[in-house]
Coordinates of all heavy atoms in Angstrom, one line a residue:
I1541 N 10.5 -9.8 -7.8 CA 10.4 -8.5 -7.0 C 9.0 -8.0 -7.0 O 8.5 -7.5 -6.0 CB 11.5 -7.5 -7.5 CG1 12.9 -8.0 -7.1 CG2 11.2 -6.1 -6.9 CD1 14.0 -7.1 -7.6
H1542 N 8.4 -8.0 -8.2 CA 7.0 -7.6 -8.3 C 6.1 -8.3 -7.3 O 5.3 -7.6 -6.6 CB 6.5 -7.9 -9.8 CG 5.1 -7.7 -10.0 ND1 4.5 -6.4 -10.3 CD2 4.0 -8.5 -9.9 CE1 3.2 -6.6 -10.5 NE2 2.9 -7.8 -10.2
H1543 N 6.2 -9.6 -7.2 CA 5.4 -10.4 -6.3 C 5.8 -10.2 -4.9 O 4.9 -10.3 -4.0 CB 5.3 -11.8 -6.8 CG 4.5 -12.0 -8.0 ND1 3.1 -12.0 -8.0 CD2 4.8 -12.1 -9.3 CE1 2.7 -12.2 -9.2 NE2 3.7 -12.3 -10.0
V1544 N 7.0 -10.0 -4.5 CA 7.5 -9.7 -3.2 C 6.9 -8.4 -2.8 O 6.3 -8.3 -1.7 CB 9.0 -9.7 -3.1 CG1 9.4 -9.1 -1.7 CG2 9.6 -11.1 -3.3
T1545 N 6.9 -7.4 -3.6 CA 6.2 -6.1 -3.3 C 4.8 -6.3 -3.0 O 4.3 -5.7 -2.1 CB 6.5 -5.1 -4.5 OG1 7.9 -5.0 -4.8 CG2 6.0 -3.7 -4.1
L1546 N 4.1 -7.0 -3.9 CA 2.7 -7.2 -3.7 C 2.4 -7.9 -2.3 O 1.5 -7.5 -1.6 CB 2.0 -8.1 -4.8 CG 1.8 -7.4 -6.1 CD1 1.3 -8.4 -7.1 CD2 0.9 -6.3 -6.0
S1547 N 3.3 -8.9 -2.0 CA 3.1 -9.6 -0.8 C 3.3 -8.7 0.4 O 2.5 -8.7 1.4 CB 4.1 -10.7 -0.7 OG 4.1 -11.4 0.6
V1548 N 4.3 -7.9 0.4 CA 4.6 -7.0 1.5 C 3.4 -6.0 1.7 O 2.9 -5.8 2.9 CB 5.9 -6.2 1.3 CG1 6.1 -5.1 2.4 CG2 7.1 -7.1 1.4
M1549 N 2.9 -5.4 0.6 CA 1.8 -4.4 0.8 C 0.6 -5.1 1.3 O -0.2 -4.6 2.1 CB 1.6 -3.8 -0.6 CG 2.8 -3.0 -1.1 SD 2.6 -2.3 -2.8 CE 1.4 -1.1 -2.6
S1550 N 0.3 -6.3 0.8 CA -0.9 -7.0 1.2 C -0.8 -7.4 2.7 O -1.8 -7.2 3.4 CB -1.1 -8.3 0.4 OG -2.2 -9.0 0.8
R1551 N 0.3 -7.9 3.2 CA 0.5 -8.3 4.5 C 0.4 -7.0 5.5 O -0.2 -7.2 6.5 CB 1.8 -9.0 4.7 CG 1.9 -10.4 4.1 CD 3.3 -10.9 4.0 NE 3.9 -11.0 5.3 CZ 3.9 -12.2 6.0 NH1 3.4 -13.3 5.5 NH2 4.5 -12.3 7.1
I1552 N 0.9 -5.9 5.1 CA 0.8 -4.7 5.9 C -0.6 -4.2 6.0 O -1.1 -3.8 7.0 CB 1.8 -3.6 5.4 CG1 3.2 -4.1 5.6 CG2 1.6 -2.3 6.2 CD1 4.3 -3.2 4.9
A1553 N -1.3 -4.3 4.8 CA -2.7 -3.9 4.8 C -3.5 -4.8 5.7 O -4.4 -4.4 6.4 CB -3.3 -3.9 3.4
D1554 N -3.2 -6.1 5.6 CA -3.9 -7.1 6.5 C -3.7 -6.7 8.0 O -4.7 -6.8 8.8 CB -3.4 -8.5 6.3 CG -3.8 -9.2 5.0 OD1 -4.8 -8.7 4.4 OD2 -3.2 -10.1 4.6
R1555 N -2.5 -6.4 8.3 CA -2.2 -6.0 9.7 C -3.0 -4.8 10.2 O -3.6 -4.8 11.3 CB -0.7 -5.7 9.9 CG 0.3 -6.9 9.5 CD 0.6 -7.7 10.7 NE 1.8 -8.4 10.4 CZ 2.5 -9.1 11.4 NH1 2.0 -9.0 12.6 NH2 3.5 -9.8 11.1
A1556 N -3.1 -3.8 9.3 CA -3.8 -2.6 9.7 C -5.3 -2.9 9.8 O -6.0 -2.4 10.8 CB -3.6 -1.5 8.6
E1557 N -5.9 -3.6 8.9 CA -7.3 -3.9 8.9 C -7.7 -4.8 10.2 O -8.7 -4.6 10.8 CB -7.7 -4.7 7.6 CG -7.7 -3.8 6.4 CD -7.7 -4.5 5.1 OE1 -7.7 -5.8 5.2 OE2 -7.8 -3.9 4.1
R1558 N -6.8 -5.7 10.5 CA -7.1 -6.6 11.7 C -7.0 -5.8 13.0 O -7.8 -6.0 13.9 CB -6.1 -7.8 11.7 CG -6.5 -8.9 10.6 CD -5.9 -10.2 11.1 NE -4.4 -10.2 11.2 CZ -3.6 -10.4 10.2 NH1 -4.0 -10.7 9.0 NH2 -2.3 -10.4 10.4
A1559 N -6.0 -5.0 13.0 CA -5.8 -4.1 14.2 C -7.0 -3.3 14.5 O -7.5 -3.2 15.6 CB -4.5 -3.3 14.1
L1560 N -7.5 -2.7 13.4 CA -8.7 -1.8 13.6 C -9.9 -2.6 13.9 O -10.8 -2.1 14.8 CB -8.9 -0.9 12.3 CG -10.0 0.1 12.4 CD1 -9.6 1.1 13.5 CD2 -10.1 0.9 11.1
A1561 N -10.1 -3.8 13.4 CA -11.2 -4.6 13.6 C -11.3 -5.2 15.0 O -12.3 -5.4 15.6 CB -11.4 -5.6 12.6
E1562 N -10.1 -5.5 15.5 CA -10.0 -6.4 16.7 C -9.8 -5.6 18.0 O -10.0 -6.1 19.1 CB -8.9 -7.4 16.5 CG -9.2 -8.4 15.4 CD -8.1 -9.4 15.1 OE1 -7.0 -9.3 15.8 OE2 -8.2 -10.2 14.2
E1563 N -9.2 -4.4 17.9 CA -8.8 -3.6 19.1 C -10.0 -2.7 19.5 O -10.5 -2.0 18.7 CB -7.6 -2.8 18.9 CG -6.3 -3.6 18.7 CD -6.0 -4.5 19.9 OE1 -6.4 -4.2 21.0 OE2 -5.2 -5.5 19.7
P1564 N -10.4 -2.7 20.7 CA -11.5 -1.9 21.2 C -11.2 -0.4 21.2 O -12.1 0.5 21.2 CB -11.9 -2.4 22.6 CG -10.6 -3.0 23.1 CD -9.9 -3.6 21.9
D1565 N -9.9 -0.1 21.3 CA -9.5 1.3 21.5 C -8.7 1.7 20.1 O -7.8 1.0 19.7 CB -8.6 1.5 22.6 CG -8.0 2.9 22.8 OD1 -8.7 3.8 23.2 OD2 -6.8 3.0 22.4
A1566 N -9.0 2.8 19.6 CA -8.4 3.2 18.3 C -7.0 3.4 18.3 O -6.2 3.1 17.5 CB -9.2 4.4 17.7
F1567 N -6.5 4.1 19.4 CA -5.0 4.4 19.5 C -4.3 3.0 19.8 O -3.2 2.9 19.3 CB -4.7 5.4 20.6 CG -3.3 5.9 20.4 CD1 -3.1 7.0 19.6 CD2 -2.2 5.3 21.1 CE1 -1.8 7.5 19.4 CE2 -1.0 5.8 20.9 CZ -0.7 6.9 20.1
T1568 N -4.9 2.1 20.5 CA -4.3 0.8 20.7 C -4.2 0.1 19.4 O -3.2 -0.6 19.1 CB -5.1 0.0 21.7 OG1 -5.2 0.7 22.9 CG2 -4.5 -1.4 21.9
A1569 N -5.2 0.3 18.5 CA -5.1 -0.3 17.2 C -3.9 0.3 16.4 O -3.2 -0.5 15.7 CB -6.4 -0.1 16.5
L1570 N -3.8 1.6 16.5 CA -2.6 2.2 15.8 C -1.3 1.7 16.3 O -0.4 1.4 15.6 CB -2.7 3.7 15.9 CG -1.6 4.5 15.4 CD1 -1.5 4.3 13.9 CD2 -1.7 6.0 15.7
R1571 N -1.2 1.6 17.6 CA 0.0 1.1 18.3 C 0.3 -0.4 17.8 O 1.4 -0.6 17.5 CB -0.1 1.2 19.8 CG 1.1 0.9 20.5 CD 0.9 0.9 22.1 NE 0.3 2.1 22.5 CZ 1.0 3.2 22.9 NH1 2.3 3.2 22.8 NH2 0.4 4.3 23.3
R1572 N -0.7 -1.1 17.8 CA -0.6 -2.5 17.4 C -0.1 -2.6 15.9 O 0.8 -3.4 15.6 CB -1.9 -3.3 17.6 CG -1.8 -4.7 16.9 CD -3.2 -5.4 17.2 NE -3.4 -6.5 16.2 CZ -4.5 -7.3 16.2 NH1 -5.3 -7.2 17.2 NH2 -4.6 -8.2 15.3
F1573 N -0.7 -1.8 15.1 CA -0.3 -1.8 13.7 C 1.1 -1.4 13.5 O 1.8 -2.0 12.7 CB -1.3 -0.8 12.8 CG -0.7 -0.5 11.5 CD1 -0.6 -1.5 10.5 CD2 -0.2 0.8 11.2 CE1 0.0 -1.2 9.3 CE2 0.3 1.1 10.0 CZ 0.4 0.1 9.0
V1574 N 1.5 -0.4 14.1 CA 2.9 0.1 14.0 C 3.9 -1.0 14.4 O 4.9 -1.3 13.6 CB 3.1 1.4 14.8 CG1 4.6 1.7 14.9 CG2 2.4 2.6 14.2
H1575 N 3.7 -1.6 15.5 CA 4.6 -2.7 15.9 C 4.5 -3.9 14.9 O 5.5 -4.5 14.6 CB 4.3 -3.1 17.3 CG 4.8 -2.2 18.4 ND1 6.1 -2.1 18.7 CD2 4.1 -1.3 19.1 CE1 6.3 -1.1 19.6 NE2 5.1 -0.7 19.9
D1576 N 3.3 -4.2 14.4 CA 3.1 -5.3 13.5 C 3.8 -5.0 12.2 O 4.4 -5.9 11.6 CB 1.6 -5.6 13.2 CG 0.9 -6.3 14.4 OD1 1.6 -6.8 15.3 OD2 -0.3 -6.5 14.3
A1577 N 3.7 -3.8 11.7 CA 4.3 -3.4 10.4 C 5.8 -3.6 10.5 O 6.5 -3.9 9.4 CB 4.0 -2.0 10.1
V1578 N 6.4 -3.4 11.7 CA 7.9 -3.6 11.8 C 8.2 -5.0 11.4 O 9.3 -5.2 10.8 CB 8.3 -3.3 13.2 CG1 9.8 -3.7 13.4 CG2 8.2 -1.8 13.5
E1579 N 7.4 -6.0 11.7 CA 7.7 -7.4 11.4 C 7.8 -7.7 9.9 O 8.4 -8.6 9.5 CB 6.7 -8.3 12.1 CG 6.5 -8.1 13.5 CD 7.8 -8.3 14.3 OE1 8.6 -9.1 13.9 OE2 8.1 -7.5 15.3
E1580 N 7.2 -6.8 9.1 CA 7.3 -6.9 7.7 C 8.5 -6.3 7.1 O 8.7 -6.4 5.8 CB 6.0 -6.3 7.0 CG 4.7 -6.9 7.5 CD 4.6 -8.4 7.3 OE1 5.2 -8.9 6.4 OE2 3.9 -9.0 8.2
R1581 N 9.3 -5.7 7.9 CA 10.6 -5.1 7.5 C 10.5 -4.1 6.3 O 11.3 -4.1 5.4 CB 11.6 -6.3 7.1 CG 11.7 -7.4 8.0 CD 12.4 -6.8 9.3 NE 13.7 -6.4 9.1 CZ 14.8 -7.1 9.2 NH1 14.7 -8.4 9.4 NH2 16.0 -6.6 8.9
I1582 N 9.5 -3.2 6.4 CA 9.3 -2.3 5.3 C 10.4 -1.4 5.1 O 10.7 -0.9 4.0 CB 7.9 -1.6 5.5 CG1 7.9 -0.8 6.8 CG2 6.7 -2.5 5.4 CD1 6.7 0.1 6.9
G1583 N 11.1 -1.0 6.2 CA 12.2 -0.1 6.1 C 13.4 -0.6 5.3 O 14.0 0.1 4.6
A1584 N 13.5 -2.0 5.4 CA 14.6 -2.6 4.7 C 14.2 -2.9 3.2 O 15.0 -2.8 2.3 CB 15.0 -3.9 5.4
L1585 N 12.9 -3.2 3.0 CA 12.5 -3.7 1.7 C 12.2 -2.5 0.8 O 12.4 -2.6 -0.5 CB 11.2 -4.5 1.9 CG 11.5 -6.0 2.3 CD1 10.2 -6.6 2.8 CD2 12.2 -6.8 1.3
C1586 N 11.7 -1.4 1.3 CA 11.3 -0.3 0.4 C 12.4 0.1 -0.6 O 12.2 0.2 -1.8 CB 10.8 0.9 1.2 SG 9.1 0.7 1.8
P1587 N 13.6 0.4 -0.1 CA 14.6 0.9 -1.0 C 15.1 -0.2 -1.9 O 15.6 0.0 -3.1 CB 15.8 1.4 -0.1 CG 15.5 0.7 1.2 CD 14.1 0.5 1.3
L1588 N 15.0 -1.5 -1.5 CA 15.5 -2.6 -2.3 C 14.5 -2.8 -3.5 O 15.0 -3.2 -4.6 CB 15.6 -3.9 -1.5 CG 16.6 -3.9 -0.4 CD1 16.5 -5.2 0.4 CD2 18.0 -3.8 -0.9
L1589 N 13.2 -2.7 -3.2 CA 12.2 -3.1 -4.2 C 11.8 -1.9 -5.1 O 11.3 -2.1 -6.2 CB 11.0 -3.6 -3.5 CG 11.2 -4.8 -2.6 CD1 9.9 -5.1 -2.0 CD2 11.8 -5.9 -3.3
S1590 N 12.1 -0.7 -4.8 CA 11.6 0.5 -5.5 C 12.0 0.6 -6.9 O 11.3 1.1 -7.8 CB 11.9 1.8 -4.7 OG 13.3 1.9 -4.7
D1591 N 13.2 0.1 -7.2 CA 13.8 0.3 -8.6 C 13.5 -1.0 -9.4 O 13.8 -1.0 -10.6 CB 15.3 0.5 -8.5 CG 15.7 1.8 -7.9 OD1 14.9 2.8 -8.1 OD2 16.7 2.0 -7.4
G1592 N 12.8 -2.0 -8.9 CA 12.6 -3.2 -9.6 C 11.2 -3.5 -10.0 O 10.9 -4.6 -10.4
I1593 N 10.3 -2.5 -9.9 CA 8.9 -2.7 -10.1 C 8.4 -1.7 -11.1 O 9.0 -0.6 -11.3 CB 8.1 -2.6 -8.8 CG1 8.2 -1.2 -8.2 CG2 8.5 -3.7 -7.8 CD1 7.3 -1.0 -7.0
D1594 N 7.3 -2.0 -11.7 CA 6.5 -1.1 -12.6 C 5.5 -0.4 -11.7 O 4.5 -1.0 -11.4 CB 6.0 -1.8 -13.7 CG 5.0 -1.0 -14.6 OD1 5.1 0.3 -14.4 OD2 4.4 -1.5 -15.5
P1595 N 5.6 0.8 -11.3 CA 4.7 1.4 -10.3 C 3.3 1.6 -11.0 O 2.4 1.9 -10.2 CB 5.3 2.8 -10.0 CG 6.2 3.1 -11.2 CD 6.7 1.8 -11.6
A1596 N 3.2 1.5 -12.3 CA 1.9 1.7 -12.9 C 1.1 0.4 -13.2 O 0.1 0.4 -13.8 CB 2.0 2.5 -14.3
H1597 N 1.7 -0.7 -12.7 CA 1.1 -2.0 -12.9 C -0.3 -2.0 -12.2 O -0.3 -1.6 -11.0 CB 2.0 -3.1 -12.4 CG 1.5 -4.5 -12.9 ND1 0.4 -5.1 -12.2 CD2 1.9 -5.3 -13.8 CE1 0.2 -6.3 -12.8 NE2 1.1 -6.4 -13.8
P1598 N -1.3 -2.5 -12.8 CA -2.7 -2.5 -12.1 C -2.7 -3.2 -10.8 O -3.3 -2.8 -9.9 CB -3.6 -3.2 -13.2 CG -2.9 -2.9 -14.5 CD -1.4 -3.0 -14.2
D1599 N -2.0 -4.3 -10.7 CA -2.0 -5.1 -9.4 C -1.3 -4.2 -8.3 O -1.8 -4.2 -7.1 CB -1.2 -6.4 -9.6 CG -2.0 -7.4 -10.4 OD1 -3.2 -7.1 -10.7 OD2 -1.4 -8.4 -10.8

Side-chain angles (χ1 to χ4, degrees):
I1541 287 176
H1542 170 87
H1543 286 282
V1544 169
T1545 304
L1546 286 177
S1547 173
V1548 170
M1549 295 172 76
S1550 176
R1551 288 166 64 95
I1552 295 173
D1554 285 343
R1555 299 269 200 166
E1557 290 166 354
R1558 285 201 302 269
L1560 188 56
E1562 295 172 3
E1563 295 296 338
D1565 175 77
F1567 195 87
T1568 301
L1570 175 62
R1571 190 185 300 277
R1572 170 177 158 178
F1573 163 68
V1574 167
H1575 284 285
D1576 283 353
V1578 169
E1579 304 304 322
E1580 302 304 331
R1581 307 298 297 273
I1582 59 174
L1585 284 167
C1586 284
L1588 295 178
L1589 302 179
S1590 60
D1591 292 332
I1593 62 172
D1594 173 10
H1597 191 284
D1599 289 350

